[in-house]
Amino acid sequence: LWIAVCSNNLAATLIDLGQFARARRTLDYPPPSVNHVSARGALLSARVDRLLGASPAAALQRAAAELARGDDFYMGALLDLERAETLEATEALLLADTVARAAEQREYGGIAVKARVVAARAALSAGDAAAAAERWNEIEPALATLQAADCYPLAPAAAGLEILLAAGERQRASAVLGHALAWLRQIALPRVPEAFRDSFLQRNPVNRALLAAESRLR
């Protein structure tokens, strides 16, 4: 059990570092009998598949099968949000909104924030920049006290940046980008081992998008 728990945590860190192949190898352990731990490993496997451009369907099904044996709202909500990343925009929006409402009712603030970010990005993908911007205006104040669950810390900022640029709010977008890059360079990067710094900056999709945006907004 504890090998599985530690392996899951290590794999999540390796994903943030852009080390997707290493993360996949880390998740190759005998599944424990605790359903939510096995489901977490399957969810992370699905994320690795998606980041490598492969289908996450089999891993998502495996996670759902594990969770079907018990009642775990937290992991079930995270699985729904991971699944939302694979859906068409309208379906993703509906699913993320459903998770956000359920999480807020149960006072799972971190899950609610992540769900609302996923929903805002889905609204933008559906072509409604104004609606996405309205959603971001509601999300942004919450980020001062809440971190999105199971989420790279700069992922909400990257979503907000994309939304604000699409809505024509360049000044606010620049402010969001400035805060994100300050955290990346001053807080995160000095703590990343030298061997992983290139992948952290260039293979982590959030960091890559933020650095590309910096070049565009100069």
Side-chain angles (χ1 to χ4, degrees):
L1 171 61
W2 289 110
I3 288 173
V5 170
C6 293
S7 296
N8 287 347
N9 291 338
L10 178 58
T13 301
L14 288 167
I15 289 170
D16 286 349
L17 290 170
Q19 295 284 318
F20 308 135
R22 287 176 186 263
R24 175 174 278 168
R25 290 196 297 272
T26 299
L27 292 167
D28 184 18
Y29 55 76
S33 58
V34 179
N35 297 335
H36 69 85
V37 176
S38 295
R40 172 70 172 154
L43 184 155
L44 290 167
S45 293
R47 186 171 301 167
V48 170
D49 289 339
R50 182 165 53 81
L51 288 166
L52 289 173
S55 171
L60 289 172
Q61 288 174 357
R62 192 166 75 251
E66 290 288 347
L67 289 178
R69 302 177 195 173
D71 181 18
D72 190 314
F73 171 79
Y74 186 87
M75 277 306 306
L78 293 181
L79 178 58
D80 280 342
L81 294 177
E82 192 68 29
R83 193 162 60 84
E85 300 283 1
T86 71
L87 299 175
E88 182 269 331
T90 303
E91 291 180 274
L93 181 59
L94 289 172
L95 180 56
D97 276 343
T98 299
V99 172
R101 287 192 296 270
E104 285 162 359
Q105 289 171 357
R106 292 167 171 81
E107 298 186 349
Y108 280 90
I111 291 180
V113 169
K114 179 172 182 176
R116 291 165 70 191
V117 171
V118 171
R121 284 177 42 234
L124 182 62
S125 296
D128 195 340
E134 286 182 12
R135 287 171 176 271
W136 175 252
N137 290 340
E138 296 175 354
I139 294 166
E140 190 171 22
L143 296 175
T145 55
L146 284 171
Q147 181 171 321
D150 190 33
C151 192
Y152 176 59
L154 293 184
L161 172 66
E162 185 181 4
I163 289 166
L164 291 171
L165 286 175
E169 298 195 46
R170 187 182 178 92
Q171 186 172 355
R172 285 183 64 198
S174 294
V176 168
L177 178 62
H179 286 303
L181 290 177
W183 184 89
L184 174 63
R185 289 173 172 146
Q186 297 170 22
I187 304 299
L189 193 59
R191 292 166 170 80
V192 174
E194 184 67 35
F196 296 153
R197 288 190 177 184
D198 185 65
S199 65
F200 178 61
L201 294 175
Q202 301 302 326
R203 299 200 68 205
N204 177 310
V206 171
N207 291 343
R208 187 171 63 242
L210 291 171
L211 292 170
E214 181 183 34
S215 299
R216 295 200 312 273
L217 289 174
R218 280 176 181 164

